[in-house]
Amino acid sequence: MVIIKTREEIEILREGGKNLATVLYKVKEMVKPGVSTKDLDLYAEKLIRDLGDVPAFLNYRPEGAKIPFPASLCVSVNEEVVHGIPNKKRILQEGDIVSIDLGLKHKGLFTDMALTVPVGAVSAGAQKLMEVTEKALEIGISAAQAGGTVGDIGHAVESFVRAQKSDYGIVEVLSGHGVGRAIHEDPYIPNFGKAGKGEKLVAGMVVAIEPMLNNGTKNVTLDEDGYTFRTADGKKSAHFEHTILITEDGAEILTKS
Ligand code: MG
């Protein structure tokens, strides 16, 4: 069931989104060669707790998962698409690209955000992949407005990606989602679709839009850890995400510092 947030909830989500963006941009500054993915996670957790908030992913147990997620930050390097588990032995190297995905609970309400960040100098192809994915998010957000549908968002993202000179795989088995009272709510927001189809967008809905683009096949595999998705062909993947509020005049990005 789609939840329309109250005025009070929206105010809290604005505050939480601002905190989340502030934290994630600080974690981004820490991304460099020699840093472990666990270092990023511990820093994210500390920053969240310093603000008096709660990491939303730590110990979160999605339906069907054998173990709860053991960290605050999802850190997915190169061919890892999303939900990578931080590890002190996983050291970032020059040329890697790393998706950092973070959820935060502020005064009981959730926001969700992700960025993909280069580690030092990266290849032109990796740079372009990140740029196209970030732009795809922006385009998806522009298509999100009251009176439209979930399909409008997916259609906008897909059309933009298909118009690129390179062939990018749009991950289909993972999607954006409603967010707020829980970290994952209805509706699903796929990164492909038909304009005018799917759930209606109504003012007061809060959703996370999160395109995941691969530099090759759209197909992904899931590791034995039950969390880490990676590209089936081992090519790099990028991921950007914002939590937005649907309003009568378009979308308001809540995850901004
Ligand atoms: Mg999300």
Side-chain angles (χ1 to χ4, degrees):
M1 191 192 71
V2 169
I3 299 164
I4 306 303
K5 272 70 183 184
T6 65
R7 203 176 284 270
E8 292 73 21
E9 285 175 319
I10 288 166
E11 210 34 65
I12 291 170
L13 287 163
R14 271 195 193 105
E15 291 174 3
K18 187 172 178 192
N19 285 356
L20 175 53
T22 303
V23 168
L24 199 59
Y25 289 128
K26 282 188 184 166
V27 174
K28 175 186 177 182
E29 294 305 312
M30 196 185 174
V31 170
K32 41 178 85 74
V35 170
S36 83
T37 58
K38 189 66 193 171
D39 294 334
L40 299 178
D41 170 53
L42 293 175
Y43 185 49
E45 179 174 0
K46 181 191 182 309
L47 292 171
I48 289 176
R49 298 214 191 270
D50 286 351
L51 288 167
D53 290 335
V54 178
F57 298 162
L58 182 62
N59 296 321
Y60 175 69
R61 191 170 188 160
E63 228 178 82
K66 274 180 276 181
I67 55 157
F69 193 75
S72 300
L73 185 70
C74 296
V75 187
S76 310
V77 183
N78 294 335
E79 79 283 2
E80 295 166 1
V81 178
V82 287
H83 306 163
I85 299 176
N87 184 322
K88 65 180 191 311
K89 292 186 188 146
R90 184 75 195 261
I91 309 297
L92 298 178
Q93 317 268 350
E94 179 101 14
D96 288 344
I97 61 170
V98 54
S99 151
I100 48 176
D101 185 357
L102 188 62
L104 172 151
K105 183 161 81 161
H106 172 76
K107 299 181 181 171
L109 297 179
F110 296 89
T111 47
D112 194 357
M113 179 181 180
L115 302 168
T116 301
V117 185
V119 183
V122 303
S123 70
Q127 185 63 39
K128 182 78 180 166
L129 173 70
M130 289 187 292
E131 284 169 15
V132 171
T133 311
E134 186 168 25
K135 186 73 185 169
L137 170 59
E138 200 181 295
I139 300 243
I141 291 171
S142 306
Q145 42 193 322
T149 70
V150 163
D152 295 345
I153 301 172
H155 177 73
V157 169
E158 183 180 11
S159 308
F160 169 72
V161 174
R162 300 278 181 248
Q164 300 299 311
K165 275 194 225 121
S166 306
D167 236 351
Y168 295 107
I170 301 175
V171 176
E172 292 179 354
V173 297
L174 296 151
S175 66
H177 50 90
V179 61
R181 292 185 200 166
I183 193 73
H184 292 118
E185 296 175 350
D186 289 338
Y188 286 110
I189 318 265
N191 293 298
F192 60 95
K194 290 200 164 69
K197 297 285 183 190
E199 196 89 43
K200 261 229 161 344
L201 298 172
V202 178
M205 279 171 73
V206 174
V207 299
I209 300 182
E210 49 179 322
M212 288 150 266
L213 298 189
N214 301 342
N215 237 340
T217 176
K218 68 180 179 182
N219 296 330
V220 298
T221 58
L222 180 61
D223 283 8
E224 287 207 358
D225 64 19
Y227 284 100
T228 312
F229 283 93
R230 60 182 71 231
T231 57
D233 59 6
K235 294 193 174 161
K236 286 186 170 70
S237 183
H239 173 216
F240 283 83
E241 176 179 25
H242 272 305
T243 296
I244 63 163
L245 167 70
I246 306 292
T247 79
E248 296 294 349
D249 336 297
E252 175 187 334
I253 297 175
L254 298 179
T255 39
K256 60 167 189 239
S257 55

